[in-house]
Amino acid sequence: MGTKSNSISDNPLRTQADLQDALRQIVDPLQPYYSEGRARLSLGVTGAGYDPKIAEFEGFSRVLWGMVPLLAGGGDNELWKICLLGIRNGTDPEHAEYWGNVNDYDQRLVEMAVFGFALALIPDRIWEPLSERERSNLYNWLNQINSHPCHDCNWLFFHVLVNMGFRTMGLPYDDEQLNRNLTRIDEFYLAEGWYSDGIGAHSDYYVPFGFHYYGLLYSQLMKDEDPERAVRFKQRATEFAESFIQWFAADGSTIPYGRSLTYRFSHSAFWSAMVFAEVDTIPLGVMKGLILRNLRWWFQKPIFNEAGVLTVGYTYPNLVMAENYNSPGSPYWALKSFLPLALADDHPFWHTEELPLPKLNSLSVQLPPHLVICRNEVSDHITAFNSGHLSSNEHIHTSAKYEKFAYSNAFGFSVPRAEWGLGQGAFDSMLALSEGDNLFRVRRKNEESRIEDNVLYSKWKPWHDVEIQTWIVAGLPWHIRIHQVNTQRTLDAAEGGFALGSDLDLQVVNDENTGITASCSQGSSRIVSILGYDTTDLIYANANTNVLHTLTVIPSLKVSLEPGTHWIISAIYGEPGERVGESSLLEDPCEILNVQFEGDEIHLTTARGKVIVIVK
């Protein structure tokens, strides 16, 4: 058995009792923040794109993603009394804290999903304690979802989960709505286990902690009522697992990419759902390790405030990278990863040995999400190289979250703080272009995009009369970027390397305008001009632009481009850990000595005689 620890950072996360204790450590500090009627949870005054009262209900509901599994597995917590009273009052139209009548595309529709899950999994704890009137209130309030549309994306699962709960309880449910949404969700399916978050949309962490998580809940709870879909969801999750395991490092960290990163340890929720749904195509001990190491990694980060409340941000409190829909209670969706608490204490999960990551390929081509994952096991560095997308959206920082050339578990990525200059823009792993006015544009979407082995290609237009073709030769610790810029404008271009966390021991080496290296105890970031760049610069990015580090520097190359056609080529190095000596950087086999253009091919000759051929 585990022993209770005072600090979650000290929790060993080895046993069922340890995981129960971790949930307690997360939810117990919330008790003072519940409203008088216990139906709202007020955790701060920062705003989201919906009414503060709705945000307070959001906080209330998201705690249930941890509480429901705890109760299902035989655990308990005094907080459930607060939750049950909040449910009674929040669904009572005559109570001052009534959660209200919902509208089309309402945030409250999102938060209803966990109630459907609860009805299906713990009716004895959420339904049986209610009086007949209270049951009627809860049903009527939830049933509003069947009269209102959700956004055409992962939101469609919220109708599904509510109606799943109704059906499990023998309550009237909308079978037509349930099947229509499940059929539509099938249309988002791409291949190899991947979905897009709507037709033509991005593929990011909403695939594991959204589509697959809800699909696996459905497959387990509806396996008798809907066996065909249950099998299909499990088969797709099995395929997805082969790709998604590549997103995890041996230390439990993952690649930060896409939106909604403030949900943090929900990154491991997929593995929790695989265990819950009894999908054992990956050894149980491996999945156990993926979950627990990810939780341990997060619990060593300053993600809680001094009162023990989760903050908005990634590895530290950070509103700069937040979404418009991130309220103070939003981060508690991370509790989805506590789904194993629903397992009985004699379940093999609690007694199997936690296993490390299996031997994984150093390169994984993942075509559906437009990514190539590279892995350096020695330094535990993983990077997703990105060919980009043919569409965009209006979410905050879309270019930074979906269109950079590389996303790293060690260097993270940065979002712009404001619009003026390279420091505010924080353009790591991007080519940024300006018309001389210090306002920079970057890739937001592509005209064309493809991946062949470890070479990623895109064609994009930052202006209507500027066309850029980009090739990325993926690899670690070095990768190569090639751009052909056809411009009818005079432009200033800046190519950014990896953003390095800036410690007091920062050292910078400038190679006479051909390359620049930043190095400190956190690692080294280097960028070298192979062709076309004029100068180097170390960009001191504005504070809090990077998702991993509060202060960063970005080694960068610059060039001014007159109207016409230009080739600019660079090699980029990134390695975490101890400072890397200059000699080892220069001896790397990816150092390019010669560039030749031969017909439709680009030939790059490395220091060790290897020729890299890129087809234009």
Side-chain angles (χ1 to χ4, degrees):
M1 293 293 291
T3 57
K4 286 190 176 183
S5 55
N6 293 324
S7 171
I8 199 165
S9 63
D10 297 327
N11 190 323
L13 291 174
R14 300 291 180 192
T15 67
Q16 180 188 33
D18 289 339
L19 197 61
Q20 291 173 337
D21 194 33
L23 181 65
R24 175 191 63 78
Q25 290 167 320
I26 293 172
V27 302
D28 280 5
L30 302 178
Q31 294 193 32
Y33 300 97
Y34 281 88
S35 58
E36 183 179 358
R38 302 297 190 261
R40 297 175 187 159
L41 184 59
S42 179
L43 297 176
V45 296
T46 57
Y50 36 89
D51 188 274
K53 291 181 179 179
I54 296 177
E56 291 174 359
F57 162 62
E58 176 190 55
F60 176 95
S61 70
R62 296 198 171 189
V63 172
L64 302 184
W65 285 108
M67 293 297 296
V68 170
L70 175 70
L71 299 175
D76 212 340
N77 189 291
E78 285 297 311
L79 189 69
W80 184 244
K81 295 179 181 179
I82 292 176
C83 294
L84 200 57
L85 179 58
I87 291 170
R88 287 187 168 102
N89 293 332
T91 58
D92 183 354
E94 298 180 8
H95 195 276
E97 294 186 11
Y98 176 54
W99 290 328
N101 298 325
V102 304
N103 303 307
D104 295 350
Y105 311 106
D106 197 308
Q107 181 66 29
R108 286 168 290 190
L109 302 175
V110 176
E111 312 309 330
M112 288 179 175
V114 72
F115 293 88
F117 174 47
L119 288 173
L121 194 64
I122 55 164
D124 58 317
R125 301 302 299 269
I126 192 173
W127 186 257
E128 292 181 12
L130 304 182
S131 68
E132 287 300 319
R133 179 178 178 275
E134 289 166 345
R135 292 177 183 180
S136 178
N137 286 341
L138 175 57
Y139 173 81
N140 290 335
W141 185 80
L142 286 173
N143 195 41
Q144 293 181 91
I145 199 170
N146 287 316
S147 301
H148 294 279
C150 286
H151 292 293
D152 193 30
C153 59
N154 70 90
W155 280 41
L156 297 179
F157 260 117
F158 306 143
H159 289 98
V160 172
L161 292 186
V162 170
N163 283 295
M164 176 188 74
F166 288 167
R167 179 173 176 172
T168 303
M169 291 293 299
L171 300 167
Y173 71 99
D174 193 331
D175 185 63
E176 181 180 354
Q177 174 94 282
L178 186 151
N179 283 285
R180 182 172 62 247
N181 282 20
L182 288 170
T183 299
R184 178 59 171 171
I185 287 166
D186 279 342
E187 295 174 14
F188 302 157
Y189 185 71
L190 300 173
E192 301 172 18
W194 285 91
Y195 293 84
S196 59
D197 195 15
I199 299 298
H202 296 120
S203 300
D204 55 16
Y205 281 106
Y206 276 92
V207 180
F209 68 49
F211 286 94
H212 282 300
Y213 190 87
Y214 304 134
L216 288 167
L217 293 184
Y218 186 90
S219 71
Q220 183 67 3
L221 297 172
M222 297 286 286
K223 57 188 175 184
D224 295 330
E225 294 83 353
D226 193 355
E228 183 178 342
R229 281 200 180 99
V231 170
R232 186 186 311 145
F233 281 137
K234 290 183 179 183
Q235 288 174 338
R236 289 176 179 176
T238 295
E239 285 190 76
F240 178 75
E242 296 179 9
S243 295
F244 190 50
I245 195 171
Q246 292 279 357
W247 291 48
F248 286 74
D251 67 354
S253 65
T254 54
I255 300 169
Y257 170 74
R259 63 190 178 94
S260 295
L261 292 178
T262 198
Y263 304 152
R264 293 184 174 106
F265 43 94
S266 63
H267 289 179
S268 55
F270 168 77
W271 306 111
S272 297
M274 288 278 280
V275 173
F276 175 79
E278 301 177 319
V279 184
D280 58 1
T281 49
I282 286 182
L284 186 62
V286 172
M287 293 192 289
K288 183 176 183 177
L290 286 162
I291 297 164
L292 297 181
R293 285 190 301 274
N294 183 245
L295 293 176
R296 291 187 199 113
W297 188 87
W298 278 109
F299 295 161
Q300 299 304 313
K301 306 300 177 186
I303 59 177
F304 299 92
N305 67 17
E306 60 278 4
V309 175
L310 273 173
T311 56
V312 174
Y314 196 60
T315 60
Y316 61 93
N318 186 353
L319 288 178
V320 177
M321 52 77 67
E323 318 296 345
N324 190 51
Y325 52 79
N326 287 161
S327 78
S330 295
Y332 285 89
W333 236 6
L335 295 179
K336 287 180 176 181
S337 286
F338 281 82
L339 186 56
L341 290 179
L343 307 174
D345 57 12
D346 61 351
H347 190 280
F349 178 82
W350 302 117
H351 305 287
T352 192
E353 179 185 0
E354 177 186 335
L355 296 178
L357 279 176
K359 178 70 174 178
L360 298 172
N361 293 333
S362 60
L363 186 142
S364 172
V365 177
Q366 302 186 3
L367 295 178
H370 312 283
L371 300 172
V372 173
I373 311 293
C374 290
R375 174 181 299 273
N376 185 338
E377 287 190 349
V378 174
S379 60
D380 207 20
H381 186 200
I382 48 176
T383 297
F385 294 92
N386 173 32
S387 68
H389 303 80
L390 302 180
S391 61
S392 188
N393 58 45
E394 295 184 3
H395 286 298
I396 293 172
H397 301 316
T398 291
S399 289
K401 293 174 180 178
Y402 293 102
E403 298 299 330
K404 288 183 186 277
F405 303 137
Y407 296 85
S408 161
N409 74 316
F411 299 99
F413 71 88
S414 306
V415 300
R417 181 74 176 268
E419 75 283 356
W420 182 257
L422 298 175
Q424 293 183 9
F427 301 117
D428 60 317
S429 298
M430 295 183 114
L431 177 65
L433 303 120
S434 167
E435 292 186 277
D437 56 4
N438 216 29
L439 300 174
F440 287 84
R441 297 192 183 193
V442 294
R443 185 171 70 173
R444 186 172 181 88
K445 67 175 184 177
N446 290 324
E447 304 288 314
E448 298 178 22
S449 175
R450 64 175 181 268
I451 298 174
E452 296 178 8
D453 296 323
N454 70 322
V455 178
L456 304 91
Y457 168 81
S458 62
K459 180 191 292 184
W460 48 289
K461 289 185 173 183
W463 289 268
H464 71 90
D465 54 0
V466 177
E467 179 184 274
I468 301 175
Q469 295 184 77
T470 294
W471 294 262
I472 302 170
V473 185
L476 287 177
W478 287 90
H479 69 275
I480 300 167
R481 301 182 201 156
I482 303 168
H483 307 289
Q484 184 194 65
V485 182
N486 291 288
T487 177
Q488 297 182 34
R489 303 164 183 249
T490 299
L491 297 174
D492 293 330
E495 182 87 57
F498 287 111
L500 178 69
S502 180
D503 284 346
L504 291 175
D505 64 343
L506 180 70
Q507 294 184 6
V508 180
V509 177
N510 201 320
D511 306 335
E512 297 180 354
N513 297 331
T514 61
I516 185 169
T517 305
S519 185
C520 67
S521 60
Q522 296 186 35
S524 294
S525 174
R526 175 170 170 79
I527 189 166
V528 179
S529 174
I530 297 172
L531 181 70
Y533 292 97
D534 290 337
T535 60
T536 62
D537 196 2
L538 187 68
I539 305 301
Y540 287 81
N542 275 204
N544 307 320
T545 50
N546 189 267
V547 298
L548 294 182
H549 308 291
T550 57
L551 293 174
T552 58
V553 293
I554 305 172
S556 301
L557 301 173
K558 293 180 177 180
V559 64
S560 293
L561 305 173
E562 296 298 324
T565 299
H566 306 268
W567 288 92
I568 47 178
I569 305 177
S570 61
I572 295 88
Y573 176 96
E575 188 72 341
E578 295 300 321
R579 180 183 290 109
V580 178
E582 187 68 13
S583 60
S584 63
L585 288 169
L586 295 175
E587 290 170 359
D588 191 277
C590 277
E591 184 188 9
I592 305 300
L593 298 182
N594 187 35
V595 180
Q596 289 182 313
F597 297 89
E598 299 187 9
D600 290 334
E601 296 180 346
I602 309 168
H603 291 198
L604 307 174
T605 305
T606 72
R608 297 188 183 178
K610 181 180 179 182
V611 178
I612 301 170
V613 178
I614 308 297
V615 179
K616 297 180 187 176

